[in-house]
Amino acid sequence: MPSLRNTQDLFLKGILGHRSILNNLIYPERFAVYSDGYVARLHRALKETYVACENLLSEDLFLKLAKSYIQDHPSNSYNLNRYGEVFPKFLKDSNVTKSKPWLTDLANLEWLISESFHAHVDCQLDLPLGEYLKVKWTQLYLSLNDSCVLLESEWPVHAIWKLAKQNEIHQAHEPKKIFLFIYRIGDEVIFNPISKNQHAFLHLVHMHHSLETCLEQCPDLNESEITNLFQLLSKHQLVESIELVK
Amino acid sequence: MFKNVHGVGLRPTHYNEILKTSPDIGWFEVIAENYMDTYGKPRRVLESVRENYPIAMHGVSLSIGSTDTFSKEYLDRWKLLIDQIDPFLISDHLCWTHIKNHNSHDLLPLPFTREAAKHIIERIDFVQTFLKRDISIENISSYVVFRHSEMTEWEFIAFIAKQSGCKILLDINNIFVNSVNFNFDPMTYLNNVPKHLVSQIHLAGHTDMGTFLFDTHDCHVAPKVWDLYAIAVDRFGSIPTLIEWDDQIPSLEVLLKESKKAKFIMKTRLTPRSHALAS
C-alpha cells in the first residue's frame, strides 16, 4: 500500500502533468478536475492582479503567457494574492515586450498597487511639521506607512494603466520618464506623479536616512518641491512614525 | 447562543450593502485567508461587521492532511486573526492543499487509511493545542477515490473527530455530491456521523457535469440537498447553518432568501407537530 506521503507526491505530480497517480484511483477519468482546476485558479489570481496587462495583451495571449508562467512558478504561499510576484520579470524575458516595451513596468505598477492595497497601515500620524522643523534634521527619521511605494519608469505607465483599465487600448505610446509615489488613502490606492528630486528624496527616507542626509544627497531638491512633498505626507497621514535620535 | 442560527458567507460584493443595511441574519462566515494578510478594505469591513454579528472563521489552507510540516507563518497569522476577531467557530477541511512547496489552492482528497487518520489526529491535536481552541473539520466533495482506502468516508471522519476531540462541520451538499459521484446512500453517511460532534452545517449549490456532480457553489441549493438537510436537522437539531455561494454570487437579497429557506425548514422540522398545527 502506498504511504500517505507517496500518495500525495504522486497526486501532485499528476496535477503537474505526470499521470502515474491514475493507477491508484477509482474514476481516474475525473482527475482533470484537479489538474485543470490548478491552472484555472492560478490563472484567475494573475488576472485579478494584472487587469490592465490582460486588457492590453488580449485574453488569449494572457492565458498563454499565464500557463507558461504557472508551469515554471508554483504557488508557494497559502495566500493567492501573493501569487505572481515575478510575473513582471517573466514578461520582461518574453517576446511580448518587443512590441509593448512598457509592459514590464505596467505589470510592476499593478503588482505595487496590489501590495499597497493590502498593506498594513499601523497608525496614521498627523505630521506636526512646524514643531519638528525646529529640531535639527540630522536627528529626525521618518517612517512612511507600508502602503507607500515608489516606481520609476521610462514610460507613462500610470496613463497607460488608466486607459487599459477602461479597455481603451492604444498600442502606440511615446516614452516619457516618470516617477510615481504610490500610497493608499482609505480603501483607494493612489499614484501620484512626483519629480525626480522628490523621488530620490523619498527613496532615501525609505532607506531610513536622517532627513538631513536625505537633503544633502538631493542637492537639486528645491524648497517648493519639499514643501509640496511634506504637504502630501501630512494631508494623507502617510507618516507612520517620527524618530528623534539625540 | 444565537437568536438565529442561520448565516451566510461575507463576500466583497456585498460589503457595502451589509454595512449600510445591517441585514437580518444570525451570523457571517469569513474565509480566514482572505483577511489574514490584508489590512485594506476587507479587514476594515470585517472589523465593522464583527461589531454587530457573530463570526465563524472558515479556512481553506490549513492542509490538515498534508505530510509537510505546518507553515509557522500561516499558523501565527491565523491565530492573530482569531484572537482579534474572536469567532464563535473555527473550521477548515478534511483534506490536504500543499506539499513540497506547491500550494494547489484546492481541497485535495485523502486516502481513507489508518495511517492517514493517525497522522491527521496528531495534527489536529497540535493545532488545537496551538490555538488553545477546538476546531471543526469539514467533509469535502471529491471526484476520485483511492484504491487503497481502508474505510468509508463517514467512518474516516467520525473516527478522526472522536479520537482527536475536534468537531465536524457537516457539508450536506458535499455528502450529496459524493453519494452520487461514488454511488452510496447519503442516509448511511448521515446516520454514521456522531450527533454530538456536529458543530455547523454547510449548504451550497452544485452542477451536474453529466457523469458526475461538481461542487461549484454557484447556484441555489438543489432540492435533494434540501431534503437531506431536513433529515440532518431531525438528527442533529438546531445547528448553525450556512449558505455558501462563492461563484456567480447573487444579490444579497437572493442569498438571504436562501438562508430563510434553511431557517424555515429547521423551524418546521423542530416544531412539535401539535404546536405546528395549532399555529
Side-chain angles (χ1 to χ4, degrees):
Chain A
M1 182 194 297
S3 67
L4 181 58
R5 182 70 175 177
N6 186 241
T7 302
Q8 292 179 342
D9 190 28
L10 283 178
F11 205 97
L12 173 67
K13 284 179 177 158
I15 287 173
L16 300 176
H18 310 283
R19 298 296 164 88
S20 56
I21 184 67
L22 299 184
N23 299 326
N24 296 13
L25 302 175
I26 303 172
Y27 306 108
E29 67 278 10
R30 297 179 192 156
F31 190 77
V33 168
Y34 299 104
S35 49
D36 292 352
Y38 174 73
V39 175
R41 281 184 186 82
L42 297 184
H43 171 229
R44 188 153 69 175
L46 292 173
K47 270 169 75 93
E48 283 177 8
T49 302
Y50 298 103
V51 178
C53 287
E54 189 192 22
N55 286 350
L56 273 169
L57 288 167
S58 80
E59 265 185 47
D60 290 346
L61 181 54
F62 187 85
L63 175 62
K64 192 177 159 194
L65 288 162
K67 280 184 173 174
S68 173
Y69 179 78
I70 290 163
Q71 202 159 32
D72 295 336
H73 299 84
S75 170
N76 47 33
S77 170
Y78 58 84
N79 183 352
L80 259 179
N81 288 330
R82 288 193 204 155
Y83 188 67
E85 184 172 10
V86 293
F87 192 61
K89 185 180 180 309
F90 168 84
L91 290 176
K92 188 179 181 183
D93 297 339
S94 72
N95 284 333
V96 287
T97 47
K98 283 181 186 164
S99 58
K100 298 174 179 61
W102 62 82
L103 195 66
T104 305
D105 284 354
L106 182 68
N108 271 324
L109 174 63
E110 295 206 283
W111 180 257
L112 293 177
I113 290 171
S114 171
E115 284 205 315
S116 183
F117 179 78
H118 293 292
H120 189 191
V121 178
D122 201 16
C123 57
Q124 296 177 321
L125 290 182
D126 269 324
L127 188 63
L129 199 55
E131 286 302 309
Y132 278 101
L133 291 185
K134 294 173 190 165
V135 181
K136 274 193 171 183
W137 280 30
T138 39
Q139 300 165 336
L140 267 185
Y141 294 79
L142 296 188
S143 291
L144 305 186
N145 75 43
D146 286 350
S147 79
C148 298
V149 278
L150 297 165
L151 179 71
E152 177 182 348
S153 175
E154 301 296 328
W155 298 90
V157 281
H158 57 312
I160 298 173
W161 182 85
K162 280 180 183 163
L163 290 171
K165 283 276 281 188
Q166 294 157 10
N167 248 323
E168 287 182 32
I169 310 301
H170 302 275
Q171 294 301 334
H173 293 284
E174 292 298 318
K176 180 188 172 191
K177 184 89 178 170
I178 56 125
F179 300 91
L180 293 179
F181 180 33
I182 302 165
Y183 50 89
R184 194 177 80 223
I185 305 173
D187 301 329
E188 194 182 359
V189 176
I190 309 288
F191 31 91
N192 214 329
I194 53 175
S195 71
K196 182 181 178 182
N197 295 329
Q198 288 172 321
H199 182 273
F201 181 82
L202 283 176
H203 177 72
L204 291 164
V205 169
H206 254 305
M207 301 302 287
H208 208 61
H209 291 290
S210 74
L211 288 186
E212 185 175 65
T213 307
C214 297
L215 278 178
E216 276 173 5
Q217 293 192 23
C218 301
D220 297 331
L221 185 71
N222 64 41
E223 204 174 320
S224 156
E225 284 174 317
I226 192 140
T227 305
N228 290 340
L229 200 53
F230 273 78
Q231 278 173 349
L232 183 75
L233 298 178
S234 179
K235 181 180 173 190
H236 299 306
Q237 298 180 308
L238 302 176
V239 178
E240 196 168 77
S241 67
I242 300 169
E243 201 179 336
L244 186 60
V245 179
K246 293 206 172 180
Chain B
M1 183 178 180
F2 308 104
K3 285 182 183 169
N4 177 1
V5 297
H6 293 86
V8 295
L10 180 65
R11 300 292 181 262
T13 178
H14 300 141
Y15 280 169
N16 292 341
E17 194 177 351
I18 288 167
L19 292 178
K20 201 171 161 188
T21 63
S22 298
D24 178 21
I25 190 82
W27 50 279
F28 286 97
E29 183 181 87
V30 296
I31 302 297
E33 289 78 2
N34 290 348
Y35 300 89
M36 282 159 62
D37 289 339
T38 183
Y39 294 89
K41 183 174 182 179
R43 189 60 169 267
R44 186 177 59 75
V45 171
L46 173 58
E47 286 163 6
S48 296
V49 171
R50 179 66 187 93
E51 289 173 13
N52 298 314
Y53 297 92
I55 296 286
M57 196 173 286
H58 189 48
V60 292
S61 295
L62 176 61
S63 200
I64 198 74
S66 173
T67 46
D68 271 1
T69 53
F70 283 116
S71 156
K72 187 174 181 323
E73 183 198 6
Y74 177 86
L75 289 178
D76 286 343
R77 285 179 180 263
W78 191 34
K79 187 172 189 311
L80 186 65
L81 185 66
I82 288 167
D83 290 344
Q84 287 168 346
I85 301 300
D86 190 23
F88 72 89
L89 191 136
I90 303 160
S91 61
D92 204 296
H93 300 82
L94 184 56
C95 72
W96 62 288
T97 60
H98 67 77
I99 185 179
K100 294 185 173 176
N101 217 22
H102 280 71
N103 202 316
S104 69
H105 303 284
D106 198 358
L107 310 173
L108 303 177
L110 288 155
F112 305 133
T113 61
R114 283 184 287 275
E115 183 211 0
K118 181 173 178 288
H119 176 69
I120 291 163
I121 290 163
E122 286 168 5
R123 281 165 67 93
I124 290 173
D125 182 54
F126 176 86
V127 171
Q128 294 191 144
T129 304
F130 175 78
L131 295 177
K132 300 188 179 79
R133 294 182 64 149
D134 286 351
I135 62 167
S136 299
I137 50 167
E138 179 183 352
N139 56 303
I140 61 165
S141 54
S142 43
Y143 311 98
V144 296
V145 282
F146 294 92
R147 290 188 183 282
H148 59 286
S149 282
E150 299 169 307
M151 55 187 111
T152 61
E153 185 186 335
W154 52 90
E155 288 167 340
F156 187 67
I157 194 167
F159 178 73
I160 287 171
K162 281 180 196 166
Q163 295 296 315
S164 68
C166 78
K167 297 288 189 292
I168 295 173
L169 191 174
L170 201 60
D171 190 313
I172 304 296
N173 179 58
N174 289 349
I175 292 177
F176 182 76
V177 164
N178 287 1
S179 74
V180 172
N181 288 352
F182 307 130
N183 198 26
F184 63 76
D185 181 356
M187 288 300 299
T188 310
Y189 197 127
L190 279 186
N191 289 333
N192 280 283
V193 173
K195 284 182 186 176
H196 64 288
L197 291 181
V198 176
S199 59
Q200 191 184 330
I201 286 175
H202 272 181
L203 294 166
H206 61 255
T207 301
D208 189 341
M209 307 298 284
T211 53
F212 66 96
L213 300 184
F214 193 32
D215 181 29
T216 43
H217 293 198
D218 66 350
C219 53
H220 289 276
V221 177
K224 287 183 178 175
V225 175
W226 283 123
D227 293 345
L228 204 55
Y229 174 63
I231 296 165
V233 170
D234 290 345
R235 180 169 170 76
F236 303 112
S238 178
I239 299 290
T241 299
L242 177 91
I243 302 294
E244 283 187 301
W245 205 318
D246 297 310
D247 212 348
Q248 314 280 346
I249 297 176
S251 68
L252 186 61
E253 186 187 356
V254 171
L255 190 62
L256 295 176
K257 271 187 186 168
E258 198 78 339
S259 181
K260 278 186 180 166
K261 191 169 177 181
K263 189 177 176 182
F264 175 77
I265 289 171
M266 182 177 278
K267 191 178 174 188
T268 307
R269 302 298 282 209
L270 295 182
T271 304
R273 181 163 289 273
S274 56
H275 181 257
L277 288 173
S279 59

